[in-house]
Amino acid sequence: MPKEVVFAGPRQVEIGEYADPPLGPRDVRVANLYSGISHGTERSHYRGEAVWHGRSVETDGFVTEGRSMKYPFTYGYEDVARVMEVGAEVSELAVGDVVMGSAHHRETRNFNLDLAKVGATTKGVGVSVFPYPLPPDDDDLEKYIFVSLGTVALDAVLVGPVRIGESAVVVGQGVVGLLTMQLCKLSGADPVIAIDLLDERLDTAKRLGADFALNPNHGDVGREVKRILGGPGADVCFECSGQAGGIGLAMHCGTPFPKVVAVGMYDGPADDLYLGEEFCRSAGQILHSRSGGYRLPPENADSGLYHRRWDIIRVHNVIIKLLHTGRLDVSGLITHRFALEEAPQAYKLIDEGAAGMMKVIFDLTTA
C-alpha cells in the first residue's frame, strides 16, 4: 500500500498507509516525485501551535465547531508529480505528464478535474485548483517545489503594490523573503534592500539580486535604510520572517507613510512586537497579503461578478513561467533532501533550526 506522513500529535510524526480509491471517469491519479515542506506552517503543526488546531476559520472569525485540524492528520501542499493513470473521460492530461499539485506528503493522489474547475470560480475565494501542467521540455523538476510559496510572494508584491522606481525593503530572507525580494526586482523596484539576522542568508540575497543586505545585529537598519535612500525611508516594506517583531522593524524602515505587507505565518503571542515611536511617526498601512482567502480580493464582489484581473490560476501560471525561464532563481535553496520514511528526522531538523537550512524536501524518486 502507498505511504504518507501523518502528524500523530505534538512533535509526533509517523508513516502511515492508505488505499487509493477507484479512479472515476474524470479523475487523474498522480505519483509524487518531490514534496516540499512549508517550514513556517508545518513547524507550527509539528509543535501543535497552529492557531487552527481545534478551531475553524469561518466568516465571523475563529469558532470551535465546524472544520478544524485535529490529530492525527496529513498535510503538505508543495509537490511535483507525474500522471500515472487517467479516467476514461480525461483529455486535458495524459499518462506521463508532469504536474504541480497540492498533495499531502504521500506517494500518490487522485484529482477530480471537474471539481478542480469549479473550485477556481467559487465566489472569488482562494480555492486551490490542481493539478497544473508543467513545461514538458524541462528536466529540472525540483525547482517547481517553489511554486506554492512563489504564489505567496507574488500575492504580496501585487498587494503592495510595488511600482517601478520605488524602493522596497524585505525583512526576512528565508524562502518566501528571497522570492519576494526577486519579484520586487522584477517589478522594477529600485533599490531593493534585504534584511535578515543571518549573514549567510544575506549573502544568498545578494547573489539573487538584492541591492543592499543589512543585519539588525550590526546596527540600526532603519537608519541605514534612510541613509541609503537619502530620504525618509522605503516606499513599501515586506515582513517575511514570520516573527511579529519584524512588523515593527518594517515600519521603522519605511517612510512616515509606508505600506507594510505582512507576508509571514504568525503563531502565538506577539511578545517581540514593539511599535513605540513608530506608531506615532507612521501614518501608513499594514496589509495582509493573503486577505480575501489567500488570493487578491475579488473585484465587484458585492455584485456577484468575479472578473478579477488576478485569480489563483493566473498567479500560479506566472510563477511557473518565471521558474521555467529562470527569471525567478531558486538555485541552491534546497539544502536538505529526505526520503518519505525519514520524515521524523526532517521535522526535527526544522524544529531545531539547523545551521544553513533553507528548504527541506522529500525526494520520492529514489524509493
Side-chain angles (χ1 to χ4, degrees):
M1 295 180 69
K3 296 179 174 61
E4 64 182 355
V5 175
V6 179
F7 289 85
R11 291 186 167 88
Q12 297 177 42
V13 171
E14 300 174 355
I15 303 300
E17 295 182 340
Y18 61 94
D20 271 326
L23 208 65
R26 291 288 294 159
D27 290 346
V28 171
R29 180 172 294 135
V30 303
N32 277 342
L33 303 174
Y34 306 101
S35 188
I37 297 178
S38 180
H39 291 202
T41 302
E42 295 192 46
R43 183 176 57 200
S44 69
H45 288 312
Y46 178 73
R47 293 174 175 175
E49 298 173 350
V51 294
W52 51 84
H53 278 193
R55 299 187 293 176
S56 176
V57 181
E58 304 293 348
T59 56
D60 56 349
F62 280 109
V63 296
T64 55
E65 299 81 19
R67 295 171 299 164
S68 64
M69 302 190 72
K70 298 179 181 179
Y71 296 112
F73 62 87
T74 60
Y75 200 73
Y77 58 86
E78 306 172 357
D79 70 281
V80 176
R82 191 178 302 277
V83 177
M84 56 189 299
E85 189 176 357
V86 300
E89 298 178 8
V90 172
S91 59
E92 298 93 329
L93 293 169
V95 172
D97 287 350
V98 180
V99 298
M100 178 268 167
S102 185
H104 294 172
H105 302 306
R106 58 194 332 219
E107 292 181 330
T108 64
R109 180 176 173 180
N110 284 15
F111 295 95
N112 180 281
L113 297 187
D114 290 332
L115 291 179
K117 290 179 179 178
V118 171
T121 57
T122 303
K123 293 189 176 180
V125 300
V127 179
S128 297
V129 185
F130 299 102
Y132 287 89
L134 296 177
D137 57 341
D138 199 335
D139 295 326
D140 179 18
L141 298 178
E142 275 190 347
K143 65 175 176 284
Y144 295 107
I145 282 292
F146 294 92
V147 171
S148 290
L149 293 186
T151 67
V152 173
L154 182 53
D155 278 347
V157 173
L158 292 172
V159 165
V162 177
R163 298 182 176 89
I164 188 168
E166 292 188 330
S167 54
V169 162
V170 182
V171 177
Q173 293 300 295
V175 170
V176 172
L178 289 167
L179 296 175
T180 302
M181 179 275 295
Q182 292 185 70
L183 291 173
C184 286
K185 292 284 292 183
L186 290 172
S187 298
D190 183 24
V192 177
I193 302 172
I195 295 176
D196 201 278
L197 294 171
L198 300 176
D199 287 334
E200 59 265 31
R201 290 192 171 188
L202 293 175
D203 290 340
T204 301
K206 287 187 287 187
R207 174 175 69 83
L208 296 180
D211 298 298
F212 299 91
L214 306 176
N215 189 327
N217 289 325
H218 303 160
D220 187 329
V221 295
R223 289 181 180 274
E224 183 62 12
V225 166
K226 296 173 179 63
R227 186 196 67 77
I228 290 170
L229 298 177
D235 296 299
V236 188
C237 301
F238 299 88
E239 201 304 292
C240 301
S241 73
Q243 302 298 314
I247 296 175
L249 180 59
M251 292 181 67
H252 183 46
C253 294
T255 73
F257 305 94
K259 282 189 175 180
V260 175
V261 184
V263 190
M265 174 72 183
Y266 304 95
D267 282 327
D271 294 334
D272 58 343
L273 175 59
Y274 174 74
L275 297 179
E277 61 272 13
E278 294 304 326
F279 187 78
C280 299
R281 183 185 78 94
S282 298
Q285 297 174 290
I286 298 179
L287 307 172
H288 186 208
S289 65
R290 282 168 284 177
S291 62
Y294 184 60
R295 210 76 292 148
L296 295 178
E299 297 174 2
N300 302 317
D302 292 337
S303 67
L305 300 176
Y306 304 107
H307 304 299
R308 295 172 296 172
R309 291 182 301 115
W310 288 94
D311 62 11
I312 189 170
I313 297 175
R314 183 177 181 183
V315 170
H316 275 80
N317 285 337
V318 167
I319 293 299
I320 289 171
K321 182 177 181 179
L322 290 175
L323 288 168
H324 179 54
T325 59
R327 296 178 70 198
L328 191 59
D329 187 356
V330 294
S331 60
L333 298 190
I334 297 176
T335 55
H336 295 78
R337 296 169 176 82
F338 289 90
L340 201 66
E341 292 79 6
E342 298 174 312
Q345 299 96 297
Y347 284 101
K348 188 173 186 292
L349 183 82
I350 293 172
D351 186 33
E352 296 173 349
M357 178 183 64
M358 187 63 72
K359 187 67 174 176
V360 179
I361 73 169
F362 295 116
D363 185 345
L364 287 80
T365 64
T366 58

